[in-house]
Amino acid sequence: MKESHSALLDDALVAYVERAPDDCASLSEMDGMLAAVAIGPEDIPDEEWLALMWGDSAPVFRDGVERAAVTGALIARKHEIIRELSNKPSTYAPFLWRPEEEGEAPDASDWAYGFMVGVGMRLPVWEKFLHSEDGDGAMAPIYMFLPEENEDLDGLAPEELADVLSEAAELLPVSVVFIHEHFRRKRMGRAVRAEAAARPAPPERNDPCPCGSGAKYKKCCGAAA
């Protein structure tokens, strides 16, 4: 059973994914990729990450209306993630596979894989964070669902493994919120530095006054400075 935490994963997107080729990303995988794109250190053009959603096959839409509905739902979900994390982080929840049987933990494997695909789009820029102490802690719940990262789980009994993965799934929103805040501070710092660099240097005392009076700066606007 698929259960969306977002109304923006709408019927058009669900219907397309259900009939798409096998190499097309699942809805949960798409949501993981969108999370990484939304919170990462650099803006990624929509057309770039959209191309990865479909796998090796070009998407085949029934018509332009379906294309607009599907791509529109994905772009809207990306902006929804940004909006939630920026305004009310406690409302953010990843879209995970929900088992048919009540009480079973959701499966975050597809979501985690999609997230790492999104990270891979700008891996050199993510590298410093991934290898930092903060990065290790933030990424730990995500790595739990990646076979190549969780060999230590192989010896656990099924019940123990289920408990560990259930706890990791509950921590995914915490990880996303932390990573978003980490890179938000980095982006804000870059913006401040760029603004300072673009700001013109103040005129020297003997320069023409920038007000256009024709007088020297020291005898015009600079006289009151």
Side-chain angles (χ1 to χ4, degrees), residues 6 8-9 30-39 74-89 91-95 111 176-177 180:
S6 168
L8 294 173
L9 290 174
M30 289 179 174
D31 196 62
M33 191 188 308
L34 287 173
V37 168
I39 69 177
L74 288 167
I75 292 171
R77 173 56 177 163
K78 184 193 79 169
H79 288 296
E80 181 185 53
I81 292 171
I82 296 171
R83 187 168 59 252
E84 287 179 340
L85 294 172
S86 299
N87 300 327
K88 196 172 181 182
T91 63
Y92 170 75
F95 171 43
W111 188 94
V176 172
V177 169
H180 172 263

PDB file of all heavy atoms in Angstrom, residues 6 8-9 30-39 74-89 91-95 111 176-177 180:
ATOM      1  N   SER A   6       1.860  13.815   1.461  1.00  0.00           N
ATOM      2  CA  SER A   6       1.646  15.067   0.743  1.00  0.00           C
ATOM      3  C   SER A   6       0.560  14.910  -0.300  1.00  0.00           C
ATOM      4  O   SER A   6       0.563  13.994  -1.109  1.00  0.00           O
ATOM      5  CB  SER A   6       2.936  15.501   0.047  1.00  0.00           C
ATOM      6  OG  SER A   6       2.676  16.541  -0.863  1.00  0.00           O
ATOM      7  N   LEU A   8       0.382  16.637  -2.713  1.00  0.00           N
ATOM      8  CA  LEU A   8       0.985  16.999  -3.983  1.00  0.00           C
ATOM      9  C   LEU A   8       1.523  15.796  -4.752  1.00  0.00           C
ATOM     10  O   LEU A   8       1.856  15.910  -5.917  1.00  0.00           O
ATOM     11  CB  LEU A   8       2.103  18.023  -3.748  1.00  0.00           C
ATOM     12  CG  LEU A   8       1.606  19.374  -3.227  1.00  0.00           C
ATOM     13  CD1 LEU A   8       2.767  20.264  -2.872  1.00  0.00           C
ATOM     14  CD2 LEU A   8       0.707  20.057  -4.230  1.00  0.00           C
ATOM     15  N   LEU A   9       1.659  14.642  -4.085  1.00  0.00           N
ATOM     16  CA  LEU A   9       1.928  13.411  -4.829  1.00  0.00           C
ATOM     17  C   LEU A   9       0.571  12.935  -5.325  1.00  0.00           C
ATOM     18  O   LEU A   9      -0.060  12.064  -4.751  1.00  0.00           O
ATOM     19  CB  LEU A   9       2.591  12.375  -3.916  1.00  0.00           C
ATOM     20  CG  LEU A   9       4.021  12.701  -3.505  1.00  0.00           C
ATOM     21  CD1 LEU A   9       4.528  11.685  -2.494  1.00  0.00           C
ATOM     22  CD2 LEU A   9       4.938  12.707  -4.703  1.00  0.00           C
ATOM     23  N   MET A  30      11.506   8.804  -5.560  1.00  0.00           N
ATOM     24  CA  MET A  30      11.392  10.176  -6.046  1.00  0.00           C
ATOM     25  C   MET A  30      11.395  11.164  -4.892  1.00  0.00           C
ATOM     26  O   MET A  30      12.053  12.194  -4.927  1.00  0.00           O
ATOM     27  CB  MET A  30      10.109  10.341  -6.861  1.00  0.00           C
ATOM     28  CG  MET A  30      10.116   9.662  -8.212  1.00  0.00           C
ATOM     29  SD  MET A  30       8.528   9.917  -9.071  1.00  0.00           S
ATOM     30  CE  MET A  30       8.895   9.171 -10.669  1.00  0.00           C
ATOM     31  N   ASP A  31      10.668  10.823  -3.836  1.00  0.00           N
ATOM     32  CA  ASP A  31      10.565  11.730  -2.702  1.00  0.00           C
ATOM     33  C   ASP A  31      11.913  11.880  -1.999  1.00  0.00           C
ATOM     34  O   ASP A  31      12.265  12.975  -1.552  1.00  0.00           O
ATOM     35  CB  ASP A  31       9.507  11.226  -1.718  1.00  0.00           C
ATOM     36  CG  ASP A  31       9.089  12.301  -0.731  1.00  0.00           C
ATOM     37  OD1 ASP A  31       8.551  13.331  -1.179  1.00  0.00           O
ATOM     38  OD2 ASP A  31       9.295  12.116   0.477  1.00  0.00           O
ATOM     39  N   GLY A  32      12.671  10.793  -1.897  1.00  0.00           N
ATOM     40  CA  GLY A  32      14.005  10.881  -1.312  1.00  0.00           C
ATOM     41  C   GLY A  32      14.925  11.759  -2.135  1.00  0.00           C
ATOM     42  O   GLY A  32      15.677  12.583  -1.593  1.00  0.00           O
ATOM     43  N   MET A  33      14.861  11.595  -3.453  1.00  0.00           N
ATOM     44  CA  MET A  33      15.691  12.417  -4.322  1.00  0.00           C
ATOM     45  C   MET A  33      15.302  13.896  -4.193  1.00  0.00           C
ATOM     46  O   MET A  33      16.165  14.777  -4.113  1.00  0.00           O
ATOM     47  CB  MET A  33      15.544  11.969  -5.779  1.00  0.00           C
ATOM     48  CG  MET A  33      16.570  12.586  -6.715  1.00  0.00           C
ATOM     49  SD  MET A  33      16.274  12.245  -8.480  1.00  0.00           S
ATOM     50  CE  MET A  33      16.116  10.455  -8.466  1.00  0.00           C
ATOM     51  N   LEU A  34      14.003  14.160  -4.146  1.00  0.00           N
ATOM     52  CA  LEU A  34      13.537  15.538  -4.008  1.00  0.00           C
ATOM     53  C   LEU A  34      14.000  16.159  -2.696  1.00  0.00           C
ATOM     54  O   LEU A  34      14.327  17.342  -2.639  1.00  0.00           O
ATOM     55  CB  LEU A  34      12.013  15.580  -4.091  1.00  0.00           C
ATOM     56  CG  LEU A  34      11.416  15.350  -5.477  1.00  0.00           C
ATOM     57  CD1 LEU A  34       9.899  15.236  -5.391  1.00  0.00           C
ATOM     58  CD2 LEU A  34      11.811  16.478  -6.431  1.00  0.00           C
ATOM     59  N   ALA A  35      14.032  15.346  -1.633  1.00  0.00           N
ATOM     60  CA  ALA A  35      14.504  15.860  -0.346  1.00  0.00           C
ATOM     61  C   ALA A  35      15.957  16.305  -0.449  1.00  0.00           C
ATOM     62  O   ALA A  35      16.328  17.393   0.014  1.00  0.00           O
ATOM     63  CB  ALA A  35      14.340  14.802   0.736  1.00  0.00           C
ATOM     64  N   ALA A  36      16.805  15.483  -1.061  1.00  0.00           N
ATOM     65  CA  ALA A  36      18.217  15.836  -1.204  1.00  0.00           C
ATOM     66  C   ALA A  36      18.388  17.067  -2.082  1.00  0.00           C
ATOM     67  O   ALA A  36      19.223  17.940  -1.795  1.00  0.00           O
ATOM     68  CB  ALA A  36      18.998  14.659  -1.780  1.00  0.00           C
ATOM     69  N   VAL A  37      17.619  17.149  -3.155  1.00  0.00           N
ATOM     70  CA  VAL A  37      17.689  18.315  -4.041  1.00  0.00           C
ATOM     71  C   VAL A  37      17.245  19.569  -3.301  1.00  0.00           C
ATOM     72  O   VAL A  37      17.860  20.639  -3.417  1.00  0.00           O
ATOM     73  CB  VAL A  37      16.815  18.082  -5.289  1.00  0.00           C
ATOM     74  CG1 VAL A  37      16.634  19.373  -6.076  1.00  0.00           C
ATOM     75  CG2 VAL A  37      17.428  17.006  -6.179  1.00  0.00           C
ATOM     76  N   ALA A  38      16.183  19.441  -2.506  1.00  0.00           N
ATOM     77  CA  ALA A  38      15.611  20.601  -1.824  1.00  0.00           C
ATOM     78  C   ALA A  38      16.520  21.147  -0.733  1.00  0.00           C
ATOM     79  O   ALA A  38      16.574  22.368  -0.518  1.00  0.00           O
ATOM     80  CB  ALA A  38      14.254  20.233  -1.228  1.00  0.00           C
ATOM     81  N   ILE A  39      17.247  20.281  -0.024  1.00  0.00           N
ATOM     82  CA  ILE A  39      18.022  20.725   1.141  1.00  0.00           C
ATOM     83  C   ILE A  39      19.507  20.823   0.872  1.00  0.00           C
ATOM     84  O   ILE A  39      20.259  21.232   1.754  1.00  0.00           O
ATOM     85  CB  ILE A  39      17.793  19.789   2.340  1.00  0.00           C
ATOM     86  CG1 ILE A  39      18.415  18.406   2.102  1.00  0.00           C
ATOM     87  CG2 ILE A  39      16.314  19.675   2.667  1.00  0.00           C
ATOM     88  CD1 ILE A  39      18.288  17.468   3.288  1.00  0.00           C
ATOM     89  N   LEU A  74       5.736  16.853  -9.123  1.00  0.00           N
ATOM     90  CA  LEU A  74       7.085  16.672  -8.584  1.00  0.00           C
ATOM     91  C   LEU A  74       7.703  18.004  -8.165  1.00  0.00           C
ATOM     92  O   LEU A  74       8.279  18.119  -7.082  1.00  0.00           O
ATOM     93  CB  LEU A  74       7.972  15.985  -9.623  1.00  0.00           C
ATOM     94  CG  LEU A  74       7.673  14.503  -9.869  1.00  0.00           C
ATOM     95  CD1 LEU A  74       8.387  14.016 -11.125  1.00  0.00           C
ATOM     96  CD2 LEU A  74       8.091  13.660  -8.668  1.00  0.00           C
ATOM     97  N   ILE A  75       7.577  19.009  -9.013  1.00  0.00           N
ATOM     98  CA  ILE A  75       8.134  20.324  -8.688  1.00  0.00           C
ATOM     99  C   ILE A  75       7.415  20.917  -7.474  1.00  0.00           C
ATOM    100  O   ILE A  75       8.043  21.508  -6.588  1.00  0.00           O
ATOM    101  CB  ILE A  75       8.036  21.259  -9.903  1.00  0.00           C
ATOM    102  CG1 ILE A  75       8.974  20.766 -11.018  1.00  0.00           C
ATOM    103  CG2 ILE A  75       8.385  22.694  -9.515  1.00  0.00           C
ATOM    104  CD1 ILE A  75       8.794  21.483 -12.346  1.00  0.00           C
ATOM    105  N   ALA A  76       6.107  20.716  -7.415  1.00  0.00           N
ATOM    106  CA  ALA A  76       5.351  21.224  -6.268  1.00  0.00           C
ATOM    107  C   ALA A  76       5.788  20.535  -4.981  1.00  0.00           C
ATOM    108  O   ALA A  76       5.871  21.160  -3.923  1.00  0.00           O
ATOM    109  CB  ALA A  76       3.855  21.029  -6.504  1.00  0.00           C
ATOM    110  N   ARG A  77       6.052  19.232  -5.051  1.00  0.00           N
ATOM    111  CA  ARG A  77       6.508  18.514  -3.861  1.00  0.00           C
ATOM    112  C   ARG A  77       7.866  19.043  -3.399  1.00  0.00           C
ATOM    113  O   ARG A  77       8.097  19.205  -2.196  1.00  0.00           O
ATOM    114  CB  ARG A  77       6.585  17.011  -4.150  1.00  0.00           C
ATOM    115  CG  ARG A  77       7.209  16.172  -3.039  1.00  0.00           C
ATOM    116  CD  ARG A  77       6.507  16.333  -1.697  1.00  0.00           C
ATOM    117  NE  ARG A  77       7.084  15.462  -0.677  1.00  0.00           N
ATOM    118  CZ  ARG A  77       6.911  15.617   0.629  1.00  0.00           C
ATOM    119  NH1 ARG A  77       6.181  16.611   1.092  1.00  0.00           N
ATOM    120  NH2 ARG A  77       7.471  14.769   1.486  1.00  0.00           N
ATOM    121  N   LYS A  78       8.759  19.345  -4.348  1.00  0.00           N
ATOM    122  CA  LYS A  78      10.053  19.913  -3.964  1.00  0.00           C
ATOM    123  C   LYS A  78       9.864  21.220  -3.206  1.00  0.00           C
ATOM    124  O   LYS A  78      10.472  21.438  -2.146  1.00  0.00           O
ATOM    125  CB  LYS A  78      10.918  20.154  -5.206  1.00  0.00           C
ATOM    126  CG  LYS A  78      12.323  20.653  -4.864  1.00  0.00           C
ATOM    127  CD  LYS A  78      13.056  21.184  -6.080  1.00  0.00           C
ATOM    128  CE  LYS A  78      12.600  22.589  -6.446  1.00  0.00           C
ATOM    129  NZ  LYS A  78      13.472  23.222  -7.468  1.00  0.00           N
ATOM    130  N   HIS A  79       8.997  22.075  -3.723  1.00  0.00           N
ATOM    131  CA  HIS A  79       8.767  23.356  -3.060  1.00  0.00           C
ATOM    132  C   HIS A  79       8.037  23.182  -1.733  1.00  0.00           C
ATOM    133  O   HIS A  79       8.254  23.966  -0.797  1.00  0.00           O
ATOM    134  CB  HIS A  79       7.996  24.289  -3.995  1.00  0.00           C
ATOM    135  CG  HIS A  79       8.816  24.795  -5.145  1.00  0.00           C
ATOM    136  ND1 HIS A  79       9.914  25.601  -4.978  1.00  0.00           N
ATOM    137  CD2 HIS A  79       8.722  24.583  -6.480  1.00  0.00           C
ATOM    138  CE1 HIS A  79      10.456  25.883  -6.154  1.00  0.00           C
ATOM    139  NE2 HIS A  79       9.750  25.271  -7.079  1.00  0.00           N
ATOM    140  N   GLU A  80       7.197  22.168  -1.655  1.00  0.00           N
ATOM    141  CA  GLU A  80       6.522  21.894  -0.394  1.00  0.00           C
ATOM    142  C   GLU A  80       7.537  21.496   0.688  1.00  0.00           C
ATOM    143  O   GLU A  80       7.447  21.936   1.836  1.00  0.00           O
ATOM    144  CB  GLU A  80       5.499  20.786  -0.563  1.00  0.00           C
ATOM    145  CG  GLU A  80       4.731  20.469   0.716  1.00  0.00           C
ATOM    146  CD  GLU A  80       3.812  19.276   0.564  1.00  0.00           C
ATOM    147  OE1 GLU A  80       4.295  18.205   0.141  1.00  0.00           O
ATOM    148  OE2 GLU A  80       2.626  19.409   0.875  1.00  0.00           O
ATOM    149  N   ILE A  81       8.504  20.660   0.309  1.00  0.00           N
ATOM    150  CA  ILE A  81       9.546  20.257   1.255  1.00  0.00           C
ATOM    151  C   ILE A  81      10.303  21.482   1.750  1.00  0.00           C
ATOM    152  O   ILE A  81      10.525  21.655   2.957  1.00  0.00           O
ATOM    153  CB  ILE A  81      10.516  19.255   0.595  1.00  0.00           C
ATOM    154  CG1 ILE A  81       9.802  17.927   0.315  1.00  0.00           C
ATOM    155  CG2 ILE A  81      11.733  19.022   1.489  1.00  0.00           C
ATOM    156  CD1 ILE A  81      10.615  16.961  -0.539  1.00  0.00           C
ATOM    157  N   ILE A  82      10.700  22.353   0.841  1.00  0.00           N
ATOM    158  CA  ILE A  82      11.426  23.570   1.216  1.00  0.00           C
ATOM    159  C   ILE A  82      10.575  24.434   2.135  1.00  0.00           C
ATOM    160  O   ILE A  82      11.057  24.952   3.153  1.00  0.00           O
ATOM    161  CB  ILE A  82      11.840  24.359  -0.039  1.00  0.00           C
ATOM    162  CG1 ILE A  82      12.826  23.546  -0.892  1.00  0.00           C
ATOM    163  CG2 ILE A  82      12.437  25.715   0.343  1.00  0.00           C
ATOM    164  CD1 ILE A  82      13.112  24.155  -2.250  1.00  0.00           C
ATOM    165  N   ARG A  83       9.313  24.579   1.786  1.00  0.00           N
ATOM    166  CA  ARG A  83       8.421  25.438   2.577  1.00  0.00           C
ATOM    167  C   ARG A  83       8.225  24.883   3.988  1.00  0.00           C
ATOM    168  O   ARG A  83       8.284  25.617   4.973  1.00  0.00           O
ATOM    169  CB  ARG A  83       7.074  25.557   1.864  1.00  0.00           C
ATOM    170  CG  ARG A  83       6.109  26.548   2.496  1.00  0.00           C
ATOM    171  CD  ARG A  83       4.940  26.825   1.574  1.00  0.00           C
ATOM    172  NE  ARG A  83       4.202  25.630   1.244  1.00  0.00           N
ATOM    173  CZ  ARG A  83       4.212  25.038   0.050  1.00  0.00           C
ATOM    174  NH1 ARG A  83       4.953  25.539  -0.934  1.00  0.00           N
ATOM    175  NH2 ARG A  83       3.496  23.952  -0.187  1.00  0.00           N
ATOM    176  N   GLU A  84       8.008  23.572   4.084  1.00  0.00           N
ATOM    177  CA  GLU A  84       7.814  22.965   5.396  1.00  0.00           C
ATOM    178  C   GLU A  84       9.070  23.100   6.258  1.00  0.00           C
ATOM    179  O   GLU A  84       8.995  23.467   7.434  1.00  0.00           O
ATOM    180  CB  GLU A  84       7.447  21.491   5.242  1.00  0.00           C
ATOM    181  CG  GLU A  84       6.035  21.267   4.728  1.00  0.00           C
ATOM    182  CD  GLU A  84       5.717  19.790   4.563  1.00  0.00           C
ATOM    183  OE1 GLU A  84       6.649  18.964   4.474  1.00  0.00           O
ATOM    184  OE2 GLU A  84       4.516  19.466   4.519  1.00  0.00           O
ATOM    185  N   LEU A  85      10.221  22.798   5.688  1.00  0.00           N
ATOM    186  CA  LEU A  85      11.456  22.848   6.450  1.00  0.00           C
ATOM    187  C   LEU A  85      11.833  24.277   6.843  1.00  0.00           C
ATOM    188  O   LEU A  85      12.456  24.498   7.882  1.00  0.00           O
ATOM    189  CB  LEU A  85      12.592  22.206   5.660  1.00  0.00           C
ATOM    190  CG  LEU A  85      12.447  20.698   5.424  1.00  0.00           C
ATOM    191  CD1 LEU A  85      13.528  20.212   4.467  1.00  0.00           C
ATOM    192  CD2 LEU A  85      12.520  19.922   6.736  1.00  0.00           C
ATOM    193  N   SER A  86      11.456  25.238   6.031  1.00  0.00           N
ATOM    194  CA  SER A  86      11.792  26.633   6.316  1.00  0.00           C
ATOM    195  C   SER A  86      10.840  27.256   7.328  1.00  0.00           C
ATOM    196  O   SER A  86      11.249  28.090   8.147  1.00  0.00           O
ATOM    197  CB  SER A  86      11.770  27.455   5.019  1.00  0.00           C
ATOM    198  OG  SER A  86      12.708  26.972   4.094  1.00  0.00           O
ATOM    199  N   ASN A  87       9.555  26.861   7.271  1.00  0.00           N
ATOM    200  CA  ASN A  87       8.545  27.526   8.088  1.00  0.00           C
ATOM    201  C   ASN A  87       8.088  26.720   9.295  1.00  0.00           C
ATOM    202  O   ASN A  87       7.832  27.283  10.355  1.00  0.00           O
ATOM    203  CB  ASN A  87       7.328  27.879   7.224  1.00  0.00           C
ATOM    204  CG  ASN A  87       7.680  28.799   6.084  1.00  0.00           C
ATOM    205  OD1 ASN A  87       8.566  29.641   6.215  1.00  0.00           O
ATOM    206  ND2 ASN A  87       7.008  28.654   4.952  1.00  0.00           N
ATOM    207  N   LYS A  88       7.953  25.412   9.135  1.00  0.00           N
ATOM    208  CA  LYS A  88       7.472  24.573  10.240  1.00  0.00           C
ATOM    209  C   LYS A  88       8.065  23.183  10.088  1.00  0.00           C
ATOM    210  O   LYS A  88       7.405  22.249   9.626  1.00  0.00           O
ATOM    211  CB  LYS A  88       5.946  24.521  10.253  1.00  0.00           C
ATOM    212  CG  LYS A  88       5.374  23.998  11.567  1.00  0.00           C
ATOM    213  CD  LYS A  88       3.860  24.140  11.600  1.00  0.00           C
ATOM    214  CE  LYS A  88       3.315  23.644  12.940  1.00  0.00           C
ATOM    215  NZ  LYS A  88       1.832  23.724  12.985  1.00  0.00           N
ATOM    216  N   PRO A  89       9.325  22.999  10.474  1.00  0.00           N
ATOM    217  CA  PRO A  89      10.016  21.720  10.259  1.00  0.00           C
ATOM    218  C   PRO A  89       9.306  20.512  10.851  1.00  0.00           C
ATOM    219  O   PRO A  89       9.441  19.406  10.323  1.00  0.00           O
ATOM    220  CB  PRO A  89      11.378  21.954  10.936  1.00  0.00           C
ATOM    221  CG  PRO A  89      11.552  23.429  10.951  1.00  0.00           C
ATOM    222  CD  PRO A  89      10.192  24.004  11.106  1.00  0.00           C
ATOM    223  N   THR A  91       6.405  19.623  10.606  1.00  0.00           N
ATOM    224  CA  THR A  91       5.374  19.066   9.715  1.00  0.00           C
ATOM    225  C   THR A  91       5.970  18.191   8.613  1.00  0.00           C
ATOM    226  O   THR A  91       5.225  17.496   7.919  1.00  0.00           O
ATOM    227  CB  THR A  91       4.548  20.182   9.062  1.00  0.00           C
ATOM    228  OG1 THR A  91       5.408  20.983   8.222  1.00  0.00           O
ATOM    229  CG2 THR A  91       3.905  21.068  10.111  1.00  0.00           C
ATOM    230  N   TYR A  92       7.301  18.245   8.436  1.00  0.00           N
ATOM    231  CA  TYR A  92       7.896  17.473   7.342  1.00  0.00           C
ATOM    232  C   TYR A  92       7.869  15.978   7.648  1.00  0.00           C
ATOM    233  O   TYR A  92       8.191  15.531   8.752  1.00  0.00           O
ATOM    234  CB  TYR A  92       9.347  17.898   7.089  1.00  0.00           C
ATOM    235  CG  TYR A  92      10.038  16.939   6.144  1.00  0.00           C
ATOM    236  CD1 TYR A  92       9.749  16.968   4.780  1.00  0.00           C
ATOM    237  CD2 TYR A  92      10.910  15.963   6.618  1.00  0.00           C
ATOM    238  CE1 TYR A  92      10.330  16.056   3.910  1.00  0.00           C
ATOM    239  CE2 TYR A  92      11.502  15.057   5.754  1.00  0.00           C
ATOM    240  CZ  TYR A  92      11.208  15.105   4.406  1.00  0.00           C
ATOM    241  OH  TYR A  92      11.770  14.183   3.556  1.00  0.00           O
ATOM    242  N   ALA A  93       7.491  15.186   6.651  1.00  0.00           N
ATOM    243  CA  ALA A  93       7.535  13.722   6.761  1.00  0.00           C
ATOM    244  C   ALA A  93       7.857  13.150   5.388  1.00  0.00           C
ATOM    245  O   ALA A  93       7.267  13.557   4.385  1.00  0.00           O
ATOM    246  CB  ALA A  93       6.197  13.166   7.251  1.00  0.00           C
ATOM    247  N   PRO A  94       8.819  12.225   5.307  1.00  0.00           N
ATOM    248  CA  PRO A  94       9.136  11.596   4.019  1.00  0.00           C
ATOM    249  C   PRO A  94       8.033  10.643   3.591  1.00  0.00           C
ATOM    250  O   PRO A  94       7.262  10.151   4.420  1.00  0.00           O
ATOM    251  CB  PRO A  94      10.435  10.835   4.319  1.00  0.00           C
ATOM    252  CG  PRO A  94      10.357  10.547   5.779  1.00  0.00           C
ATOM    253  CD  PRO A  94       9.647  11.708   6.403  1.00  0.00           C
ATOM    254  N   PHE A  95       7.953  10.405   2.297  1.00  0.00           N
ATOM    255  CA  PHE A  95       6.972   9.471   1.757  1.00  0.00           C
ATOM    256  C   PHE A  95       7.622   8.086   1.685  1.00  0.00           C
ATOM    257  O   PHE A  95       8.522   7.867   0.891  1.00  0.00           O
ATOM    258  CB  PHE A  95       6.521   9.949   0.374  1.00  0.00           C
ATOM    259  CG  PHE A  95       5.680   8.950  -0.374  1.00  0.00           C
ATOM    260  CD1 PHE A  95       4.672   8.252   0.271  1.00  0.00           C
ATOM    261  CD2 PHE A  95       5.896   8.716  -1.719  1.00  0.00           C
ATOM    262  CE1 PHE A  95       3.891   7.323  -0.416  1.00  0.00           C
ATOM    263  CE2 PHE A  95       5.137   7.795  -2.412  1.00  0.00           C
ATOM    264  CZ  PHE A  95       4.132   7.095  -1.765  1.00  0.00           C
ATOM    265  N   TRP A 111      13.402   5.299  -0.405  1.00  0.00           N
ATOM    266  CA  TRP A 111      13.594   6.719  -0.085  1.00  0.00           C
ATOM    267  C   TRP A 111      15.080   7.013   0.121  1.00  0.00           C
ATOM    268  O   TRP A 111      15.602   8.005  -0.391  1.00  0.00           O
ATOM    269  CB  TRP A 111      12.794   7.089   1.157  1.00  0.00           C
ATOM    270  CG  TRP A 111      12.785   8.553   1.456  1.00  0.00           C
ATOM    271  CD1 TRP A 111      11.839   9.464   1.079  1.00  0.00           C
ATOM    272  CD2 TRP A 111      13.791   9.292   2.177  1.00  0.00           C
ATOM    273  NE1 TRP A 111      12.191  10.723   1.520  1.00  0.00           N
ATOM    274  CE2 TRP A 111      13.399  10.644   2.196  1.00  0.00           C
ATOM    275  CE3 TRP A 111      14.992   8.935   2.803  1.00  0.00           C
ATOM    276  CZ2 TRP A 111      14.139  11.637   2.818  1.00  0.00           C
ATOM    277  CZ3 TRP A 111      15.750   9.930   3.409  1.00  0.00           C
ATOM    278  CH2 TRP A 111      15.314  11.266   3.425  1.00  0.00           C
ATOM    279  N   VAL A 176      16.732  15.043   8.011  1.00  0.00           N
ATOM    280  CA  VAL A 176      16.480  15.999   6.931  1.00  0.00           C
ATOM    281  C   VAL A 176      16.445  17.425   7.475  1.00  0.00           C
ATOM    282  O   VAL A 176      17.013  18.352   6.878  1.00  0.00           O
ATOM    283  CB  VAL A 176      15.162  15.647   6.210  1.00  0.00           C
ATOM    284  CG1 VAL A 176      14.786  16.745   5.213  1.00  0.00           C
ATOM    285  CG2 VAL A 176      15.294  14.309   5.482  1.00  0.00           C
ATOM    286  N   VAL A 177      15.787  17.625   8.605  1.00  0.00           N
ATOM    287  CA  VAL A 177      15.727  18.959   9.214  1.00  0.00           C
ATOM    288  C   VAL A 177      17.137  19.446   9.561  1.00  0.00           C
ATOM    289  O   VAL A 177      17.491  20.603   9.299  1.00  0.00           O
ATOM    290  CB  VAL A 177      14.838  18.937  10.472  1.00  0.00           C
ATOM    291  CG1 VAL A 177      14.976  20.245  11.255  1.00  0.00           C
ATOM    292  CG2 VAL A 177      13.374  18.715  10.083  1.00  0.00           C
ATOM    293  N   HIS A 180      19.092  20.263   6.313  1.00  0.00           N
ATOM    294  CA  HIS A 180      18.557  21.498   5.736  1.00  0.00           C
ATOM    295  C   HIS A 180      19.094  22.715   6.473  1.00  0.00           C
ATOM    296  O   HIS A 180      19.542  23.694   5.857  1.00  0.00           O
ATOM    297  CB  HIS A 180      17.032  21.488   5.804  1.00  0.00           C
ATOM    298  CG  HIS A 180      16.406  22.799   5.419  1.00  0.00           C
ATOM    299  ND1 HIS A 180      16.023  23.741   6.351  1.00  0.00           N
ATOM    300  CD2 HIS A 180      16.124  23.338   4.211  1.00  0.00           C
ATOM    301  CE1 HIS A 180      15.525  24.798   5.729  1.00  0.00           C
ATOM    302  NE2 HIS A 180      15.578  24.576   4.443  1.00  0.00           N
TER     303      HIS A 180
END
